[in-house]
Amino acid sequence: MNYLTEVLRHEESWMEVGDVDTLKQRLLNTMIYCVGKDPDYSSPRDWFLALAYMMRGILSERYINTARTCYQKGVKRVYYLSVEYLPGRSLTKHLIDLDLFDKAKQALKELGHDYEVIADHELDAALGNGGLGRLAACFLDSLATHRYPGFGYGIRYEFGMFTQAVHGGQQVEHPENWLRYGNPWEFERPNVTYPVRFNGHIVCFKNEAGHKQCQWVDTEDVIAVAWDVPVSGFRSGVVTNLRLWSARSTQDFDLRYFNEGNYIEAVKAKIVSENLAKVLYPADVTLMGQELRLKQEYFFVSASVQDILDRFLKTHTDFNQLPDKVAIQLNDTHPALAIAELMRLLIDSHGIEWGRAWSITRRVFSYTNHTLLPEALETWPISLLQTILPRHLEIIYEINDRFLKDVRHRLPGDVKALGRLSLVDDQRGRIRMAHLAIVGGHKVNGVAELHTQLMRSTIFSDFNRIYPDRFVNMTNGVTPRRWLRQANPGLSELITERIGEGWLTDLTELKKIEPLADDPAFRERFMAIKRANKERVARSIGAGVGVRIDPQSMFDVQVKRIHEYKRQLLNVLHVIARYNRIRDGSAPGLQPRTVIIGGKAAPGYFMAKQIIRLVLDVGEQINNDSAVEDRLKLVFYPNYSVSAAEVLISGADLSEQISTAGTEASGTGNMKFALNGALTIGTLDGANIEILRSVGEDNMFIFGLNAEQAAELRKNGYDPWRHYNANPELKRVMDMIGQGFFSVDEPARYRGLVDSLLGGGDHYLLLADYDSYVACQERIDVAFRDRDAWARKAILNVANMGVFSSDRTIHEYAREIWGVTPIPM
């Protein structure tokens, strides 16, 4: 029986909200029956929960319709495996997607409540750290909006990565307790559980057919429990799913130990098991930390692959059909163990012989690479794998053996290539996970044209020699629903007023506003919206940081993960030089500027935390110097998040995208800023190159060495001392940092930072690019004097960002890698 049809025959569909009065009644009913509160005495958080639960009901109905259609039509599905997701707040997104935003605001107003106050009670979901997680969230949004049969898998982290606070002028990490009030969007699925096995040993024997059969025995098991989070598409009728796994012990409570008075031992198994889903990226500086991280990654992929096979086997019996019905995308190397896990399940659990299992596996998987830094490519100690995942290590060895035999035929006599290509790094005793992902899939994609080109010619050049058709480019994109419609409602309304709503699902429609850059009235309205957004930024910084900033000044923003290659330190060098010029009275052309830096440093990354500390110390000096006043401010924005990004990005005038050329895979912050009318200062790195091609050289500020020049400089012997000694302004700045001008209480505090640039070789070429960077900043000052001309450049940036939609990226993945088509709803 079609129970859903029977329900809808007798009850009005949750999806049919109707008018404002109907929505009000639904909201009141939800408050009483779901939240369990009296509407007359309910808090703003109660109203948030009521609205969220009401929306969840609508989303659930749509998800059931979507899932049923997928089963009925027998569509091929794509499964996106990522250890990170950063969806941000969901209430406004879902209301916009279902075209209920204005009705909800009006309903709450008539009930005597302010929507903005209520929505502010939602916490950002702490399921990621940076660009990797935000990209994954954009992709799920685009999959649902364009009706692709997509499904996300991840981990339900109880405490996220960490909440960043500033105490004593330094980053301090606190647990990110985002679930303390519960998560109204999720559905726990206690009936969807899978055992995940660790440790143990392997027993092999010959089966009835005379083939070798292996069993993984005497294992220590953990139970993976599913939690589902619906993901809505924009006015598409489709709701897809993000399935997150939490960990549960096979034995939560040992009554014998408890009765003996050993209360800690009674719950030890529960505590150890649940650690797997406590935090994102547990510190791996200790052996125990490495073990936890490896277990966490395998826990995630094992549960996900078992779930995928379960869903496939509900309607199919022939595993040869698996590549025709399933595509699995590995978002970076963290889920690469899924390849070995699928092989284990096919061979050990389903009795499929190696050759057939390997053919199925390779056609199912594809891999997205996100880094060009060799040290960032994940590897695992063989000894650790031998202990924790002995069967998977055997499978990886067998994959490697067969692969290297093939390499010998393809590259006869090239012995050195065998060592470079091997999945096993014999010298270091480690398994190379990126190599497993390349060998075990049918496509490997980069995330920007330069990144893909460098991937082919540098870190994976040997693989490109033998698999030239395997490497493809999929330039990243961002969803315009979140990063323009939701983050910047004023600009969104202005654009829609002039060109209609088509841009919300086809961002190339923005090209239609290009002629309006020459319309004085449009420029005036555009800049009025920017001014309002800057005032919002100023209020946020005033309330959260305690620094008063002038919205009339240029907002120069660099917000992203703190890392040496992203070169926040280069930004600070320029700020100090600027400060000196103002103090010396040698800055007649400098425009008032507020420099805003934000981002988290990994807890164990000392140099990144020192950069944050320097930003705070320099800001303390500049912001309290009466000789400078509002001509220059430096602010560190703590605990950067998706919700913070929506505020900061929409109010930025200048976007700092200044990584060393050849190090940033793509970047998506650069796209979000330009989409909101910020001009970019950047190197020819990542997607900056493609943005430059789209917006034009007159509307972007490029400086520094390109990737080829940077590589050549290092090859020929780079001497940072030469730049230090040749530039008195730079020398003065470096000496101020190194000799304690900004740390009087501890003069040697930043000597290590200075030494990393001079004595340490300046690996990321800050001093080599310094002159060009400062000269470029001077050109920016000149341009910003003419605010009307600046407005024209900003509008042209917005108009030419059409290609950088995640919708375009998803269409390309679907066509060129996954082989999936939209759901015929």
Side-chain angles (χ1 to χ4, degrees), residues 639-663:
N639 206 39
Y640 182 59
S641 64
V642 174
S643 294
E646 292 174 20
V647 174
L648 294 172
I649 289 172
S650 63
D653 293 303
L654 185 67
S655 162
E656 297 268 354
Q657 308 297 331
I658 60 176
S659 54
T660 311
T663 60

Side-chain angles (χ1 to χ4, degrees), residues 40-298:
D40 289 339
Y41 299 97
S42 296
S43 68
R45 176 166 284 109
D46 295 330
W47 284 103
F48 160 68
L49 290 172
L51 188 52
Y53 284 135
M54 186 195 78
M55 292 300 298
R56 191 179 72 162
I58 299 172
L59 294 171
S60 179
E61 187 175 325
R62 291 195 177 194
Y63 173 66
I64 292 170
N65 284 336
T66 301
R68 285 192 169 190
T69 303
C70 287
Y71 277 116
Q72 290 165 1
K73 302 295 183 182
V75 300
K76 181 178 183 179
R77 303 186 193 216
V78 57
Y79 298 98
Y80 199 80
L81 271 60
S82 177
V83 295
E84 287 191 41
Y85 292 91
L86 274 178
R89 295 176 177 177
S90 296
L91 179 61
T92 299
K93 169 189 162 48
H94 291 320
L95 287 168
I96 289 172
D97 286 347
L98 274 59
D99 206 15
L100 293 174
F101 183 70
D102 292 334
K103 289 180 182 178
K105 289 185 73 172
Q106 183 61 32
L108 286 168
K109 184 177 180 181
E110 292 181 14
L111 290 168
H113 300 282
D114 184 330
Y115 173 80
E116 298 301 333
V117 172
I118 288 167
D120 203 42
H121 282 272
E122 181 174 9
L123 300 176
D124 281 36
L127 300 171
N129 174 38
L132 189 78
R134 187 50 237 174
L135 180 74
C138 284
F139 280 3
L140 292 186
D141 173 84
S142 290
L143 284 165
T145 295
H146 292 279
R147 299 181 175 177
Y148 288 110
F151 204 101
Y153 281 105
I155 299 176
R156 183 180 180 265
Y157 303 107
E158 186 176 348
F159 295 111
M161 188 173 174
F162 61 84
T163 294
Q164 181 191 57
V166 173
H167 295 302
Q170 301 181 68
Q171 170 181 294
V172 177
E173 302 92 33
H174 299 292
E176 195 167 7
N177 193 7
W178 69 288
L179 291 171
R180 62 184 176 274
Y181 301 117
N183 177 11
W185 302 110
E186 65 187 7
F187 292 92
E188 183 179 8
R189 308 294 190 194
N191 60 318
V192 181
T193 63
Y194 296 97
V196 179
R197 305 157 76 186
F198 301 103
N199 304 113
H201 62 276
I202 311 304
V203 175
C204 294
F205 55 90
K206 286 191 177 181
N207 60 20
E208 295 175 356
H211 299 303
K212 181 181 177 182
Q213 190 83 33
C214 292
Q215 290 185 354
W216 187 11
V217 299
D218 297 333
T219 55
E220 298 173 12
D221 296 359
V222 172
I223 302 301
V225 182
W227 297 72
D228 288 346
V229 181
V231 180
S232 57
F234 178 75
R235 299 180 188 173
S236 67
V238 166
V239 171
T240 187
N241 192 48
L242 171 59
R243 176 157 287 178
L244 304 171
W245 301 106
S246 66
R248 192 179 73 202
S249 172
T250 55
Q251 185 178 1
D252 281 352
F253 184 76
D254 193 313
L255 186 60
R256 180 174 63 85
Y257 278 122
F258 187 84
N259 288 335
E260 292 173 355
N262 194 342
Y263 306 129
I264 295 175
E265 194 67 29
V267 294
K268 180 180 177 181
K270 173 181 171 66
I271 294 169
V272 170
S273 298
E274 292 180 354
N275 279 342
L276 290 174
K278 287 292 184 187
V279 298
L280 168 66
Y281 300 140
D284 58 359
V285 293
T286 66
L287 183 60
M288 290 182 66
Q290 291 176 34
E291 180 179 322
L292 178 58
R293 189 178 286 200
L294 175 61
K295 283 185 171 182
Q296 186 183 73
E297 290 184 6
Y298 175 66

Side-chain angles (χ1 to χ4, degrees), residues 162-174 544-547 562 597-601 608-620 634-640 749-750:
F162 61 84
T163 294
Q164 181 191 57
V166 173
H167 295 302
Q170 301 181 68
Q171 170 181 294
V172 177
E173 302 92 33
H174 299 292
V545 183
V547 177
I562 308 296
I597 296 175
K600 295 180 179 181
K609 295 176 87 167
Q610 281 291 89
I611 292 170
I612 291 176
R613 193 172 189 184
L614 178 64
V615 172
L616 290 161
D617 278 344
V618 174
E620 180 70 16
L634 174 61
V635 176
F636 182 78
Y637 195 102
N639 206 39
Y640 182 59
R749 180 179 297 165
Y750 300 115

Side-chain angles (χ1 to χ4, degrees), residues 89 120 483 486-488 530 532-541 555 557 559 596 637 640-652 673 676:
R89 295 176 177 177
D120 203 42
W483 294 110
Q486 183 171 333
N488 199 340
K530 177 65 76 173
N533 290 338
K534 292 174 72 173
E535 289 172 351
R536 182 171 64 155
V537 172
R539 289 193 298 272
S540 176
I541 288 175
F555 282 10
V557 183
V559 283
I596 302 168
Y637 195 102
Y640 182 59
S641 64
V642 174
S643 294
E646 292 174 20
V647 174
L648 294 172
I649 289 172
S650 63
F673 278 102
N676 282 272

